[in-house]
Amino acid sequence: MEYVLPLQRLIEKFCTLRGVGHKTAVRYAFSVLDMSEEEAAEFAEALISAKRDICPCAVCGNLSVGGSCSVCSDAARDAGVICVVEDSRAVMAIEKVKEYTGLYHVLGGVISPMDNVGPDQLRIKELLARINNTNVRELIIATNPNVEGETTAMYLSKLVAPLGIKVTRLA
């Protein structure tokens, strides 16, 4: 079925979101049409604000509004333990459990030669700088247990081994 052009464009934009297929995009688009003009404007402003105001934490790479994220700013956290994750979604998942009290380091992905992502495209240099400039005693590697996550974990383990820091693999 063909939709009027503005609706078709909206559906196409929703389809560009990861994990959103055509049927879901159509539902989202009609949901937007069902909104009042004020609600739609608030929705659009929330999108623009999130894109404009959210940036990587200057310390760990997690989501932040300004300099440091809430985790890095928390003096009660154990600065001697850093949990290395692929992205901010992993930070959110671990934080939901409310058990981990250390800090994080967000790599921004995993080593994936098929996607042309090597160590230089990740925040590995920043991780090494943190380790060298602080009293880190343990690195917890919490990348996904798939081929790319395991490759990244092994690479980090070998890279950090000469530094004498305990490395733990969390899968």
Side-chain angles (χ1 to χ4, degrees):
M1 171 173 203
E2 285 205 24
Y3 299 101
V4 293
L5 186 59
L7 180 58
Q8 184 60 40
R9 286 183 53 223
L10 185 57
I11 292 167
E12 288 169 5
K13 290 300 176 189
F14 279 124
C15 279
T16 64
L17 298 173
R18 191 175 340 162
V20 176
H22 185 74
K23 286 182 181 180
T24 301
V26 169
R27 280 196 302 274
Y28 288 171
F30 276 100
S31 292
V32 170
L33 289 181
D34 289 340
M35 294 177 182
S36 68
E37 193 166 326
E38 182 181 317
E39 290 170 322
E42 289 173 3
F43 184 76
E45 177 51 35
L47 285 171
I48 292 166
S49 175
K51 190 64 184 160
R52 179 187 55 225
D53 299 338
I54 297 172
C55 61
C57 170
V59 179
C60 73
N62 190 19
L63 299 179
S64 172
V65 180
S68 295
C69 70
S70 59
V71 174
C72 289
S73 300
D74 185 352
R77 300 292 267 210
D78 182 353
V81 181
I82 295 178
C83 181
V84 180
V85 296
E86 295 177 22
D87 56 33
S88 294
R89 283 182 287 268
V91 173
M92 306 292 173
I94 295 168
E95 284 297 293
K96 260 187 188 175
V97 179
K98 299 185 189 285
E99 295 281 326
Y100 178 68
T101 59
L103 299 177
Y104 294 94
H105 188 84
V106 179
L107 291 173
V110 287
I111 297 170
S112 178
M114 297 210 25
D115 296 321
N116 293 319
V117 178
D120 291 341
Q121 282 78 47
L122 303 177
R123 299 184 69 253
I124 294 174
K125 284 180 235 141
E126 293 86 344
L127 175 62
L128 293 174
R130 284 181 75 187
I131 290 169
N132 289 325
N133 295 328
T134 58
N135 294 322
V136 176
R137 63 183 184 283
E138 182 178 6
L139 201 65
I140 300 170
I141 303 174
T143 54
N144 286 317
N146 56 24
V147 173
E148 294 85 0
E150 292 296 335
T151 301
T152 305
M154 193 174 343
Y155 178 84
L156 290 173
S157 295
K158 289 181 179 179
L159 195 63
V160 174
L163 302 175
I165 296 170
K166 177 182 177 185
V167 177
T168 305
R169 177 72 172 117
L170 181 66

